[in-house]
Amino acid sequence: MIRILVTDGMEQSAIKELRESGFEVVEQFYDAAELGNKLKEFDVLIVRSATKVREAIINEALGGKLKLIIRGGVGVDNIDVAYAESKGIAVRNTPNASSAAVAELALGHMFALARFIHIANVTMREGKWDKKKYEGIELGRKTLGIIGMGRIGRELAIRAKALGMKVLYTRRRGPSEEYNEFEYSTMEELLAASDFVSVHTPFDKNSGTLIGEKELAMMKDGAYLINCSRGKVVSEEALLAALNSGKLSGAGIDVFEEEPTKNIELISHPKVSATPHIGASSIEAQERIGEEIVTIIKGFFN
């Protein structure tokens, strides 16, 4: 029987379908010290963000049954993909399933910051009626710059355009006819022209931080930065400095350099709308992720 280890949780309907299809599914989290040895007993490993599958763990698993690693989500930066594949272990992810959920969270942060929902919610609980402090802005007619025009960026662009926003985008591969309804810009042009900048790129260990002090300085005075991609894409130190100086009016952050984050100064900042990496945490997205994982596994072993 093909054995599947689920370490970070998974939609129960998908687990039920796998079991009914003849697969053995074990739901159990293991820390790094135990995981590699345990993996020898399983054909498939399914992870989300918490489990890191690095070279040392893969080396420990060699000689066992492991044939497939699946990341339930868009990125695979918590898996040493090239190394796993060099050892004959396939790596897959579910890039389509959570795109809409992440895009809607990015938009939610934009609304929260534009209308002070993030901080008014806190001060009202403290018994304050700070009505005069919270004169916000409307998203309509503002410019949104999207860095990384993949599936998530496209979903956000569609929603932003429906709100009457002008949408700029930049991507490593340059402009594409696929995105003709939006305007391509260089990174520098986008940063200078956008009222809101939303980042949707993976973290590249080779190139490092994408948004640091230099890039933040290029942004419009009073602009907003949204990061629902990967924490290390944006320098938290540089972001805090930009918020404290007044360069930025606010930041919406779902991902952090370290998770769970210990950067209390950042998440408690009055100009920050913060969430604990919940981009894909919608009922619909989790159902789609589960369905996509089932399809991957059935296709792989059939």
Side-chain angles (χ1 to χ4, degrees), residues 93-104:
N93 65 340
T94 60
N96 301 308
S98 57
S99 299
V102 178
E104 290 189 6

Side-chain angles (χ1 to χ4, degrees), residues 102-215:
V102 178
E104 290 189 6
L105 181 65
L107 192 59
H109 278 297
M110 290 164 60
F111 275 119
L113 292 164
R115 298 305 304 273
F116 295 98
I117 298 168
H118 67 296
I119 190 67
N121 186 270
V122 174
T123 56
M124 286 197 72
R125 291 169 190 267
E126 294 172 346
K128 299 175 184 176
W129 188 264
D130 291 335
K131 180 176 179 176
K132 292 183 180 179
K133 285 186 178 181
Y134 302 142
E135 183 178 27
I137 60 172
E138 298 173 4
L139 297 187
R141 299 186 181 181
K142 299 300 187 295
T143 298
L144 168 64
I146 298 175
I147 301 174
M149 194 65 159
R151 294 175 180 87
I152 297 170
R154 175 66 182 275
E155 292 287 345
L156 177 58
I158 291 168
R159 288 158 173 76
K161 186 178 179 182
L163 290 169
M165 300 188 81
K166 178 181 178 180
V167 179
L168 309 179
Y169 76 93
T170 191
R171 62 198 290 265
R172 289 180 180 176
R173 297 178 184 177
S176 170
E177 291 184 2
E178 184 181 355
Y179 309 123
N180 276 346
E181 59 190 306
F182 312 113
E183 184 178 328
Y184 176 79
S185 299
T186 65
M187 179 78 156
E188 292 77 12
E189 291 168 342
L190 182 148
L191 291 172
S194 300
D195 301 295
F196 291 82
V197 173
S198 192
V199 187
H200 299 283
T201 65
F203 175 68
D204 186 333
K205 288 187 288 186
N206 296 319
S207 56
T209 299
L210 180 68
I211 305 293
E213 183 179 354
K214 176 185 173 184
E215 291 74 23

Side-chain angles (χ1 to χ4, degrees), residues 44-56:
V44 182
L45 170 64
I46 299 172
V47 303
R48 289 181 63 183
S49 298
T51 299
K52 316 298 181 189
V53 190
R54 302 303 181 200
E55 284 190 20

Side-chain angles (χ1 to χ4, degrees), residues 217-243:
M218 293 180 189
M219 290 177 65
K220 266 187 176 184
D221 290 345
Y224 299 82
L225 180 68
I226 311 296
N227 185 15
C228 293
S229 58
R230 287 292 181 266
K232 293 181 180 179
V233 169
V234 176
S235 164
E236 292 181 2
E237 181 181 0
L239 177 58
L240 261 172
L243 292 167

Side-chain angles (χ1 to χ4, degrees), residues 219-286:
M219 290 177 65
K220 266 187 176 184
D221 290 345
Y224 299 82
L225 180 68
I226 311 296
N227 185 15
C228 293
S229 58
R230 287 292 181 266
K232 293 181 180 179
V233 169
V234 176
S235 164
E236 292 181 2
E237 181 181 0
L239 177 58
L240 261 172
L243 292 167
N244 288 331
S245 71
K247 172 66 180 179
L248 294 186
S249 289
I253 312 170
D254 185 50
V255 289
F256 301 86
E257 291 178 359
E258 179 186 7
E259 294 185 0
T261 184
K262 296 182 178 67
N263 195 339
I264 303 302
E265 185 181 0
L266 180 64
I267 61 175
S268 61
H269 198 288
K271 293 182 181 179
V272 169
S273 173
T275 47
H277 202 154
I278 59 170
S281 297
S282 73
I283 292 170
E284 296 86 350
Q286 291 308 306

